[in-house]
Amino acid sequence: MTVTFQDFVFKCQHHIASKVGAATLPHWHTYAIRFWFTDSPDQDWLSNSLQQRYIQFHGSNMNAILQGRSSDEDLAQWFLNDVQSIGKCNKVTVTNDFQRGAEATL
């Protein structure tokens, strides 16, 4: 089986009300979302499709887009579910500020 991956990187603001300390206040992160596709889509088409579909994340308040669920785990699951309209994606990896993250798989 051949697997194709594509990264989508953006910077946005969020907060997590259920946490304590600084996480409860609005703050910024840089996210790298890696999508793993099993149907080997064309790389240029894939890059274009992801950029167009998720452009609203650039410079946004992620809480508004995800209705307040903005942890790394929430983000991974949301992208995994949403990206299925683009292609057969079986795994999404979220990297937060290039040092931590989460993964969701089908």
Side-chain angles (χ1 to χ4, degrees):
M1 172 176 55
T2 301
V3 178
T4 301
F5 73 86
Q6 182 72 42
D7 290 344
F8 173 68
V9 178
F10 62 96
K11 185 173 184 169
C12 71
Q13 180 185 86
H14 84 133
H15 69 279
I16 303 176
S18 64
K19 298 283 185 178
V20 295
T24 64
L25 302 173
H27 57 280
W28 291 84
H29 291 292
T30 299
Y31 292 95
I33 313 300
R34 178 162 285 179
F35 300 92
W36 300 87
F37 292 89
T38 57
D39 57 355
S40 300
D42 176 79
Q43 290 282 8
D44 293 332
W45 176 86
L46 188 55
S47 178
N48 238 2
S49 297
L50 293 172
Q51 288 295 328
Q52 288 177 9
R53 183 154 185 91
Y54 300 122
I55 195 167
Q56 79 270 18
F57 279 91
H58 290 288
S60 72
N61 177 343
M62 188 168 32
N63 291 78
I65 296 171
L66 301 181
Q67 291 79 43
R69 298 192 56 184
S70 63
S71 70
D72 294 346
E73 295 81 5
D74 291 335
L75 194 57
Q77 191 62 56
W78 186 90
F79 272 108
L80 180 63
N81 293 337
D82 190 76
V83 76
Q84 299 306 318
S85 64
I86 291 176
K88 187 177 177 185
C89 180
N90 64 344
K91 180 168 72 170
V92 170
T93 304
V94 172
T95 305
N96 179 334
D97 292 334
F98 309 104
Q99 60 185 348
R100 61 184 180 267
E103 181 176 286
T105 59
L106 287 180

